Amino acid sequence: MRGDLMRLPAFLENHRARWGSVLGEPAVLPLMIGAGILGYFLFPEDLGLLTRILTMALYILSLDLVLGYAGIATLGHAALFGAGAYAAGIMAVHIVQDPLLLLLIGTLAGGLVALITGALILHAHGLTLLMLTIAVAQLLQSLANKWRELTGGSDGLSGIDPSPVLGLFRFDLYGRTSYLFALVVLIVAYAIARRIVRSPFGLACRGVKEDPLRIAALGGNPRRYLVVMYTVGGAFAGLAGALTTVTTGIVGLDSLGFTLSAEAVVMLVLGGTGRLYGAIIGTVAFMTIHHILAATDPFHWMLFIGLFLIGIVLFAPGGITAVSEKLAQRLARRGT
Amino acid sequence: METILGIAVDGVAYGTILFIISVGLSVMLGLMRVVNLAHGAFAMMAGYLASYGMQSLGLPYGLALLAAILLTVIVTLPLERLLYRRIYGGNNELQQVLLTIGLTFVIIAIANYSFGPTVKRIPLPDLLSGSVSLGSKTIPLHRAFVIGLGAATILGLWLLLERTNFGVRLRAAVDNPAMAEALGIRTERLYTAVFALSTGLAALGGVLGAELLPLDPYYAIRYIVLFLAVVAVGGAGSILGSVVAALALGILDTAGRYLVPNFGEFFFSAALILILFRWPNGFFHRRAA
């Protein structure tokens, strides 16, 4: 792949210049750490929900790598999340309880499933690719449903009891350890993801997304970039799945479900694709609104999110971050 | 023998419903290049309307069916003007997915608000609830009725496409939209007509298929994957492809449920992956210009 890259510098430089302003987001990490710590002290009663938001944010981040940076439209991303969740869950029940090791296992499982299925399905485009991603997720879900001895079938896996993190921090009843653990994992993963998307490889993926023919003409192999990025995204999704398993102690069939795949796309687009912090913002916005509205009636929630989605497509195709960036630009211009 | 006949009758009836609902989706995808995830919601809407017409207004089956189809088309046509027109063309898949999923959610919420979350029935008239004997075996009349109507739909569509002026324009526009437009075909009107046809067929399938695909608010999400599978396997824009794909998937799914009841879904997804791996553009891919 290095050989290919040597022939791409002009194209990549062009990209770097174009995306420089978007990628230069120095304040995001400190902001995330600050908001995370603030959340810990402001909402001590809701740490369960906040932990769930953190793990989902990691999952949406992984989808952003696949969809936002490589342009792979998928409605089966839950396959990779669920692979990580189940791998960690099964290992936790039978063999190891160390949380970090479980995360590693989940990451590997997600990456492996993504590598195998990605190599199989990424030659397809458009609707066929959408269908294949859905079919892969359904296949894994029915497998998890039938393989009762291992996965618990429709009851799911429970009784997962991870040992203390690094042998020091026990998972407590109030979910404090879970929350801080998830926060640290998310922040580390975010930093790694940022390095990946800024690397020549990440930029080449953006190139494939925008103009695969041109990348091929320049000597790159578009499909290989897609498969590698899909695998990287799968590893992150698997990590998110394993993190969910460790922090909640249960794994269910819904972790492989179509709803989780579709909701992921909604959350990502809500925040804005192709920006890592867009994934975080979209998740926080979606999960918060969901929490508030679903408390009354699930159908109110569907009406609201439906109208919201239609509105996004009609009035703000770039998602929340694009709107706020535009606003910020306008304000800055007025200020000078 | 008993099982084979059962699979054949149920599978073909099921496949016919899949065909009637999916063919409109396929033509829309072939022509307007839009992945309409709300297609299932339109079928559901018609089912609810027919159920309401029969249960609450006491309309006879045939009248309720016609009224439901007409109403669904009338209600959805403004949506084409206001929403769908903005997402035609294949370059914005993500926007299409979002807009049509959003629309689906709205329709689900409205269906639940108006009719409640329970399963709604469309009672069959006495004429259709019996069974017909076929040599030594009897088959439910409703299945026979569905298969017959499906055959009539195929014939009607074939006549419409091959024998009418509309069909000529439509085929021209599917094969080469730019050239068709240059030759004076008003593609916008054509799009509206195809949208209406597509929705009408979805509505017909939704009412006819209520026995096989039960009506509840989540219908719209539950079955859309199935309809999309038919389109993907058949090849976008191909009517023959939709027929073959719908029958193949219908029989396959039914056979899976009959023969390996515990692994039915697994069987289905695996077959889908294999088929799409071998024919990534569907059985009958219409070359799009």
Side-chain angles (χ1 to χ4, degrees):
Chain A
M1 196 131 56
R2 217 150 243 297
D4 296 341
L5 287 174
M6 300 305 278
R7 273 171 264 166
L8 296 173
F11 186 72
L12 295 183
E13 274 315 311
N14 188 8
H15 258 272
R16 209 190 290 267
R18 237 169 97 197
W19 294 104
S21 61
V22 178
L23 292 172
E25 16 154 291
V28 173
L29 269 180
L31 263 177
M32 269 170 64
I33 297 171
I37 294 172
L38 208 62
Y40 179 79
F41 288 110
L42 282 182
F43 305 104
E45 305 292 318
D46 296 313
L47 286 183
L49 172 68
L50 292 185
T51 310
R52 182 86 190 128
I53 293 180
L54 293 176
T55 54
M56 283 308 275
L58 182 53
Y59 169 55
I60 308 305
L61 191 71
S62 76
L63 179 66
D64 200 11
L65 292 175
V66 167
L67 197 152
Y69 286 87
I72 304 169
T74 165
L75 276 177
H77 201 59
L80 311 173
F81 176 86
Y86 268 102
I90 292 166
M91 286 310 228
V93 170
H94 297 289
I95 304 169
V96 288
Q97 277 78 37
D98 182 72
L100 289 178
L101 205 56
L102 289 175
L103 292 192
L104 182 69
I105 290 165
T107 309
L108 289 177
L112 194 67
V113 170
L115 178 65
I116 296 169
T117 59
L120 267 172
I121 68 176
L122 283 175
H123 66 288
H125 303 278
L127 175 68
T128 310
L129 182 59
L130 274 184
M131 275 319 300
L132 281 169
T133 55
I134 297 173
V136 166
Q138 287 193 328
L139 189 81
L140 287 184
Q141 194 183 25
S142 47
L143 201 64
N145 189 19
K146 297 310 168 200
W147 206 339
R148 291 196 141 271
E149 314 81 88
L150 209 55
T151 63
S154 50
D155 300 333
L157 283 172
S158 56
I160 296 159
D161 186 20
S163 56
V165 183
L166 300 172
L168 293 172
F169 309 102
R170 295 203 125 276
F171 284 96
D172 56 307
L173 268 176
Y174 309 100
R176 290 188 201 128
T177 315
S178 289
Y179 177 77
L180 293 175
F181 182 58
L183 183 64
V184 171
V185 173
L186 174 65
I187 283 166
V188 171
Y190 185 90
I192 297 172
R194 198 166 62 167
R195 275 211 79 93
I196 293 174
V197 299
R198 284 176 178 182
S199 70
F201 164 71
L203 290 170
C205 283
R206 265 192 193 271
V208 173
K209 178 191 171 191
E210 278 171 27
D211 197 343
L213 273 180
R214 192 161 166 199
I215 292 289
L218 285 164
N221 181 345
R223 206 182 133 211
R224 196 191 305 162
Y225 285 125
L226 291 185
V227 173
V228 174
M229 192 50 129
Y230 195 66
T231 308
V232 171
F236 275 83
L239 174 66
L243 186 62
T244 308
T245 303
V246 168
T247 52
T248 60
I250 47 169
V251 189
L253 280 179
D254 54 337
S255 67
L256 285 162
F258 181 68
T259 319
L260 191 61
S261 300
E263 274 185 352
V265 177
V266 171
M267 280 188 244
L268 178 58
V269 177
L270 193 61
T273 56
R275 300 169 180 80
L276 290 179
Y277 58 96
I280 312 282
I281 292 172
T283 316
V284 173
F286 183 95
M287 300 279 288
T288 311
I289 307 169
H290 182 257
H291 180 70
I292 295 167
L293 283 179
T296 53
D297 178 339
F299 291 102
H300 293 161
W301 157 246
M302 293 194 97
L303 182 67
F304 179 82
I305 197 72
L307 291 174
F308 202 82
L309 284 176
I310 295 173
I312 286 264
V313 174
L314 295 186
F315 305 115
I320 295 177
T321 47
V323 171
S324 49
E325 270 167 24
K326 236 178 240 168
L327 274 179
Q329 275 172 8
R330 210 167 276 177
L331 285 177
R333 219 176 293 150
R334 198 164 290 171
T336 52
Chain B
M1 194 60 216
E2 190 102 327
T3 322
I4 293 175
L5 196 71
I7 291 175
V9 172
D10 284 351
V12 171
Y14 184 49
T16 308
I17 294 294
L18 289 184
F19 163 74
I20 296 177
I21 297 181
S22 310
V23 67
L25 185 62
S26 176
V27 174
M28 256 182 90
L29 190 74
L31 184 60
M32 286 94 114
R33 312 274 177 80
V34 53
V35 181
N36 181 16
L37 296 184
H39 198 72
F42 295 161
M44 177 181 88
M45 194 193 288
Y48 269 107
L49 289 173
S51 166
Y52 179 76
M54 289 189 74
Q55 303 265 37
S56 302
L57 303 179
L59 297 178
Y61 187 78
L63 201 58
L65 173 71
L66 282 180
I69 294 173
L70 270 180
L71 259 176
T72 308
V73 173
I74 290 170
V75 169
T76 49
L77 266 186
L79 296 178
E80 197 262 347
R81 262 291 144 84
L82 294 172
L83 302 178
Y84 280 84
R85 219 159 254 199
R86 297 161 193 262
I87 54 164
Y88 286 158
N91 298 325
N92 43 9
E93 261 165 35
L94 207 56
Q95 305 245 308
Q96 296 177 351
V97 166
L98 287 180
L99 185 87
T100 52
I101 280 195
L103 191 57
T104 307
F105 284 177
V106 171
I107 293 174
I108 290 176
I110 293 174
N112 177 68
Y113 178 77
S114 328
F115 301 106
T118 51
V119 174
K120 286 283 169 291
R121 283 183 42 78
I122 300 179
L124 291 173
D126 294 336
L127 202 62
L128 290 179
S129 47
S131 54
V132 63
S133 66
L134 211 86
S136 60
K137 180 82 169 90
T138 58
I139 61 173
L141 245 175
H142 174 257
R143 302 278 193 276
F145 174 66
V146 163
I147 295 170
L149 261 184
T153 309
I154 296 172
L155 189 69
L157 276 176
W158 182 78
L159 284 174
L160 182 71
L161 285 183
E162 300 292 327
R163 292 292 142 97
T164 64
N165 208 354
F166 172 76
V168 173
R169 283 155 197 264
L170 180 60
R171 276 182 290 145
V174 170
D175 283 341
N176 191 339
M179 179 58 86
E181 197 149 345
L183 289 173
I185 294 174
R186 298 167 95 168
T187 41
E188 283 220 338
R189 273 196 194 178
L190 201 63
Y191 289 176
T192 309
V194 167
F195 186 89
L197 180 69
S198 162
T199 314
L201 285 167
L204 174 65
V207 179
L208 283 185
E211 291 274 299
L212 295 156
L213 311 173
L215 286 166
D216 67 70
Y218 287 109
Y219 177 110
I221 298 184
R222 190 174 310 130
Y223 300 117
I224 190 65
V225 171
L226 211 57
F227 308 146
L228 287 175
V230 171
V231 176
V233 169
S238 161
I239 290 176
L240 183 61
S242 295
V243 176
V244 175
L247 288 179
L249 291 179
I251 293 173
L252 190 76
D253 199 15
T254 311
R257 282 170 212 284
Y258 265 87
L259 302 175
V260 273
N262 284 324
F263 282 86
E265 290 159 46
F266 179 80
F267 192 57
F268 186 80
S269 323
L272 192 59
I273 291 174
L274 287 179
I275 292 174
L276 288 178
F277 188 66
R278 172 66 187 76
W279 291 280
N281 291 314
F283 288 154
F284 297 89
H285 178 52
R286 236 202 154 106
R287 195 168 43 83

